[in-house]
Amino acid sequence: MTDQVWLEQAVALAVANVEAGGGPFGALVVREGTVLATGQNRVTRDLDPTAHAEVNAIRAACAELRDFSLAGCTLYTSCEPCPLCVSASLWARVDRVVYAADRHDAARGGFDDREFYELFARDRATWPTPVDAVPVPAAFSPFQAWLDNTTRTHY
């Protein structure tokens, strides 16, 4: 199977999701020529702003593999992943992300992911939502507990 064939499946998932009342995004995780999982945008259905197609596909693939790492997998998605989904892909350690439409297509369709890409390039003081660091004496203690835990699962 080629990238184009997998992307056509991701696009078909997105179109089917729109027809079912969801958002216009679909994704699939593929390993060694086999689809491990698919995902569709469920933000409005589930009232979950993190329920993007890519995140849902990653969650399902991890559950299928019973592992938090998707090393050896490719994420195919109907549209260029937003910063949330790019981050999820990096954390999942997928080998590759391949997309069909880009952020400019998404903007034309009413989903301006470009705004978030541009936001991260600006000084935090200009962000619409303040993100503030407040020093707390015990701030490092969760990390110390993690480092002290000899049975922790490394990731």
Side-chain angles (χ1 to χ4, degrees):
M1 299 274 266
T2 65
D3 288 344
Q4 186 161 354
V5 171
W6 295 123
L7 287 173
E8 288 171 357
Q9 289 184 33
V11 169
L13 282 169
V15 171
N17 199 47
V18 169
E19 292 168 354
F25 304 97
L28 46 130
V29 176
V30 175
R31 184 176 71 175
E32 298 174 357
T34 301
V35 175
L36 293 177
T38 64
Q40 294 169 302
N41 182 285
R42 301 289 192 218
V43 171
T44 56
R45 186 196 81 173
D46 295 353
L47 305 177
D48 178 354
T50 69
H52 292 204
E54 298 90 339
V55 172
N56 287 333
I58 288 168
R59 288 174 178 159
C62 287
E64 175 69 21
L65 293 177
R66 301 178 53 80
D67 196 342
F68 57 82
S69 174
L70 295 179
C73 298
T74 299
L75 174 66
Y76 289 94
T77 181
S78 62
C79 187
E80 181 178 7
C82 71
L84 168 74
C85 295
V86 168
S87 296
S89 300
L90 294 170
W91 280 110
R93 296 163 177 80
V94 298
D95 285 5
R96 187 169 169 235
V97 177
V98 184
Y99 60 88
D102 65 19
R103 65 183 80 171
H104 307 290
D105 295 320
R108 282 195 350 253
F111 294 83
D112 201 355
D113 297 356
R114 291 179 306 188
E115 184 175 325
F116 289 108
Y117 279 102
E118 292 166 3
L119 175 75
F120 292 129
R122 295 194 321 249
D123 184 290
R124 279 190 187 177
T126 68
W127 290 11
T129 302
V131 178
D132 301 318
V134 177
V136 175
F140 190 76
S141 55
F143 298 107
Q144 192 59 57
W146 171 259
L147 292 171
D148 294 343
N149 181 356
T150 59
T151 61
R152 71 183 179 266
T153 300
H154 294 273
Y155 70 96

